[in-house]
Amino acid sequence: MRPNHRCLLRVCASALYVIVGLAYAQSPNIASQGTVNSADYSRSFAPGALISVFGANFASSSQQPGAFPLPTSLGGVSVQLAGNGEFLPLWYVSPAQINAQLPYDAPVGQVQVRVVTAGGSSNLDTITVAARAPRIFTFDFSGRGPGVVTSADYKVLSSANPAGPGQVIVLWMNSMGAATGNPVAGQPAPGASPGSQPSILTEPATATVDGIAATVTFAGLCPGSAGLYQVNVQ
């Protein structure tokens, strides 16, 4: 009897589908100390901070949300606080990295984070949350390279485009903690629309430039964004 090639093709296709499905259904795994501050990849965190989680078997492809509010599930991937079961708003997911935002009411102290997918729940990663842990975003995420600093009209400052005396510069920052206006993680910060008041830090911020005290003209959440802080310094 001659084999039925159509049947063989269907069987092979079904087997391939099962194999691929099993590959994508592997349990997610967070790397050792794989949850870090998105600004400089340190292990310093505060309520409302943007965090990056590194590991394996997260998503089958890279995805980003198209609009606010940020979703708590993206491509079948979620990040959860193990203590209270809360799912975090997501900025980005990929097979090996997730960017998310801690809630503004995250408890100070030790907090456990896990990744949840169709393949199951990951191992727990314990992080320590402080009331404030200000970090300037750096271009190489080392915390030591050039910081992400712009002019007031959002032009990146560099040796080729330096700031001048008396100029207001903007430091783009993360994890600066509590701010006014009851901000909600995953929601755009107020201040972008007419009549809306920006959300400012509940405690005053100070700054120095080369060791000299400078005037802070604004310190709070970047209007219209989620989790991003800005500090305007003259």
Side-chain angles (χ1 to χ4, degrees), residues 17-28 57-61 95 117-120:
Y17 177 82
V18 171
I19 291 171
V20 172
L22 287 173
Y24 284 134
Q26 292 181 14
S27 295
N57 306 323
F58 291 162
S60 59
S61 63
T117 70

Side-chain angles (χ1 to χ4, degrees):
M1 180 182 295
R2 297 181 63 186
N4 187 321
H5 293 291
R6 291 184 179 178
C7 290
L8 285 174
L9 285 173
R10 280 197 289 268
V11 170
C12 290
S14 298
L16 180 61
Y17 177 82
V18 171
I19 291 171
V20 172
L22 287 173
Y24 284 134
Q26 292 181 14
S27 295
N29 180 73
I30 300 176
S32 175
Q33 297 192 331
T35 305
V36 297
N37 188 304
S38 293
D40 63 353
Y41 290 177
S42 69
R43 293 274 286 178
S44 298
F45 308 92
L50 300 175
I51 65 172
S52 296
V53 184
F54 291 94
N57 306 323
F58 291 162
S60 59
S61 63
S62 299
Q63 296 188 42
Q64 292 178 285
F68 290 116
L70 299 180
T72 55
S73 179
L74 192 59
V77 180
S78 299
V79 177
Q80 185 180 40
L81 298 183
N84 60 12
E86 182 175 0
F87 290 99
L88 306 186
L90 303 176
W91 267 111
Y92 172 80
V93 300
S94 73
Q97 179 180 350
I98 302 170
N99 294 343
Q101 185 183 7
L102 291 176
Y104 289 101
D105 59 356
V108 172
Q110 289 193 332
V111 174
Q112 291 185 313
V113 175
R114 64 184 165 208
V115 174
V116 181
T117 70
S121 297
S122 73
N123 53 308
L124 295 173
D125 188 12
T126 302
I127 64 174
T128 300
V129 178
R132 299 186 189 277
R135 293 293 186 274
I136 299 175
F137 280 91
T138 56
F139 285 104
D140 63 0
F141 301 105
S142 70
R144 296 179 296 275
V148 180
V149 184
T150 69
S151 60
D153 57 356
Y154 308 118
K155 294 178 180 178
V156 175
L157 297 177
S158 66
S159 58
N161 181 40
Q167 181 178 347
V168 173
I169 63 174
V170 183
L171 285 65
W172 298 98
M173 305 191 64
N174 191 26
S175 59
M176 297 193 74
T180 62
N182 298 315
V184 177
Q187 298 275 10
S193 58
S196 176
Q197 295 299 314
S199 183
I200 63 174
L201 297 183
T202 57
E203 296 181 4
T206 61
T208 59
V209 178
D210 200 23
I212 302 172
T215 300
V216 175
T217 60
F218 175 83
L221 290 168
C222 173
S225 187
L228 179 65
Y229 293 80
Q230 69 177 85
V231 179
N232 298 359
V233 178
Q234 185 178 28

